[in-house]
Amino acid sequence: MKKPIYILAIESSCDDTSASVICNAKVLSNVVANQEVHSKYGGVVPELASRAHQQNIVPVVQQALEQANVKKENLSAIAFTRGPGLMGSLLVGTSFAKSLALGLQIPLIDVNHMQAHILAHFIEEEGAKIPPFPFICLTISGGHTQIVKITNHFEMEILGETIDDAVGEAFDKSAKILGLPYPGGPLIDKYAKLGNPKAFPFTKPKVGDLDFSFSGLKTGILYFIQKQQRINPNFIEENLNDICASIQYTIVEILMNKLKNAVKKTGIKHIAIAGGVSANSEIRNRLQLAEKHFGWTTYIPKFQYTTDNAAMIAITGYLKYLNNDYSDVSVTAKARLKVTE
């Protein structure tokens, strides 16, 4: 019997400190410390994020090892997020992972956060479907919106991406216009369930077949709200559910139309979603409907693997470990990193 491979992974790209232990492709623990400090600022404050990572990283790693019931001496390698993300936050995880790998004299594995979102689909769990190659992945998060073609674990090609704002920003900034607290995306999803998605039609931006643009939509929503409030100062309170449902409907329509174009262009009907925004209930719902209507096979990750978490870093680290793809201790964090790097 082959010796089990234990990977400890650290994720610190934005405002969540996370650590996970994986045995081969099975997750033994996935601990996430959220940072509440940012909500009063209406967005992530980088300096506060990196300070909170410094406070959280030791207890989070300790907890992940204890939950997994794995001793440091049994670890095969340490994986960590190299980028993309906030530089100060990445530096905390990078330097901690390096020193731990050096201390334990085990391999260090750097992970591309965007690849990890996609490769979270390869975590082995009961009832989880693993996509076959090639498949298409719609990666949607606060900072990224991309359609990626995945030929094998580490061969990826960007078919289309946003030319300005990411879909997560479109949700959060629309929520801010409505006076909802940060992060507003989940709140729009919550109120949208109670509203009419066709109540207020918003114009969809015109860009290439596979590219996205959300800044014009955001501006359109702002002007619409301002105009309505001049007529009726209570417009938002009286129509909140319908406004949220209409915003969500428009954003999800944009995403689905681009996916249809990608399927038409590539002929690939295995469609996965990844990233924080893939927790959105309407996107999940529409993808499941697409299985019936278009004959797609869709792959939707578990909620806990959609937002920033170390389990996705761990599975990517495990797949790189199998390829002996280790990092040198001189590796540096990179705030900007393409999914193909």
Side-chain angles (χ1 to χ4, degrees), residues 160-230:
E161 60 188 332
T162 181
I163 57 170
D164 42 54
D165 290 2
V167 66
E169 290 173 276
F171 272 116
D172 286 340
K173 286 175 182 172
S174 299
K176 200 172 182 179
I177 293 166
L178 300 176
L180 298 174
Y182 175 87
L187 291 172
I188 288 187
D189 191 9
K190 180 183 157 188
Y191 297 126
K193 289 184 178 123
L194 309 168
N196 171 11
K198 305 276 180 78
F200 307 110
F202 295 112
T203 311
K204 295 187 193 77
K206 288 183 171 47
V207 281
D209 283 353
L210 300 174
D211 286 325
F212 300 88
S213 167
F214 290 103
S215 69
L217 174 65
K218 214 176 52 202
T219 309
I221 292 164
L222 175 66
Y223 289 163
F224 169 77
I225 296 293
Q226 286 174 341
K227 184 183 168 188
Q228 296 300 326
Q229 280 185 308
R230 282 196 290 272

Side-chain angles (χ1 to χ4, degrees), residues 96-311:
F96 186 90
K98 280 184 184 182
S99 51
L100 192 56
L102 275 170
L104 296 170
Q105 296 184 319
I106 56 175
L108 179 71
I109 300 169
D110 70 280
V111 170
N112 179 321
H113 180 88
M114 295 312 297
Q115 287 182 0
H117 269 305
I118 296 168
L119 296 174
H121 283 280
F122 293 88
I123 291 169
E124 279 176 22
E125 282 208 336
E126 219 175 297
K129 287 192 298 185
I130 290 180
F133 300 118
F135 67 95
I136 285 170
C137 189
L138 174 66
T139 308
I140 39 179
S141 67
H144 299 271
T145 306
Q146 294 176 334
I147 296 176
V148 186
K149 179 185 167 189
I150 294 91
T151 308
N152 64 46
H153 291 129
F154 297 105
E155 194 183 322
M156 302 184 184
E157 180 195 347
I158 298 169
L159 302 177
E161 60 188 332
T162 181
I163 57 170
D164 42 54
D165 290 2
V167 66
E169 290 173 276
F171 272 116
D172 286 340
K173 286 175 182 172
S174 299
K176 200 172 182 179
I177 293 166
L178 300 176
L180 298 174
Y182 175 87
L187 291 172
I188 288 187
D189 191 9
K190 180 183 157 188
Y191 297 126
K193 289 184 178 123
L194 309 168
N196 171 11
K198 305 276 180 78
F200 307 110
F202 295 112
T203 311
K204 295 187 193 77
K206 288 183 171 47
V207 281
D209 283 353
L210 300 174
D211 286 325
F212 300 88
S213 167
F214 290 103
S215 69
L217 174 65
K218 214 176 52 202
T219 309
I221 292 164
L222 175 66
Y223 289 163
F224 169 77
I225 296 293
Q226 286 174 341
K227 184 183 168 188
Q228 296 300 326
Q229 280 185 308
R230 282 196 290 272
I231 303 163
N232 170 12
N234 301 322
F235 177 74
I236 294 176
E237 293 86 83
E238 289 168 15
N239 298 279
L240 184 63
N241 295 342
D242 285 352
I243 300 166
C244 289
S246 302
I247 289 170
Q248 180 156 290
Y249 174 78
T250 309
I251 291 174
V252 175
E253 273 287 285
I254 293 167
L255 297 174
M256 290 305 292
N257 288 339
K258 300 295 180 179
L259 270 180
K260 285 179 212 166
N261 292 344
V263 171
K264 222 178 278 179
K265 193 172 172 181
T266 61
I268 297 168
K269 287 192 171 186
H270 290 281
I271 310 294
I273 51 168
V277 183
S278 64
N280 179 280
S281 66
E282 183 60 17
I283 292 167
R284 289 170 171 252
N285 184 28
R286 290 289 296 277
L287 271 179
Q288 278 159 344
L289 286 174
E291 291 206 312
K292 293 184 193 125
H293 292 304
F294 314 124
W296 298 359
T297 311
T298 60
Y299 303 85
I300 300 171
K302 276 194 161 178
F303 277 112
Q304 66 260 41
Y305 303 140
T306 55
T307 49
D308 293 347
N309 68 89

Side-chain angles (χ1 to χ4, degrees), residues 9-20 30-35 44 49 53 60 81 83-86 89-90 112-118 120 139-144 182 274-279 302-314:
I10 292 158
E11 152 60 21
S12 70
S13 65
C14 189
D15 62 332
D16 289 341
T17 315
S18 182
S20 172
N30 187 31
V31 178
V32 183
N34 304 105
Q35 298 179 6
V44 176
H53 282 304
V60 163
T81 303
L86 301 172
S89 296
L90 290 167
N112 179 321
H113 180 88
M114 295 312 297
Q115 287 182 0
H117 269 305
I118 296 168
T139 308
I140 39 179
S141 67
H144 299 271
Y182 175 87
V277 183
S278 64
K302 276 194 161 178
F303 277 112
Q304 66 260 41
Y305 303 140
T306 55
T307 49
D308 293 347
N309 68 89
M312 67 182 197
I313 306 301

Side-chain angles (χ1 to χ4, degrees), residues 67-86:
Q67 269 185 29
N69 201 15
V70 171
K71 291 189 166 65
K72 291 196 294 285
E73 297 71 40
N74 296 337
L75 293 171
S76 313
I78 309 287
F80 69 97
T81 303
R82 183 188 178 200
L86 301 172

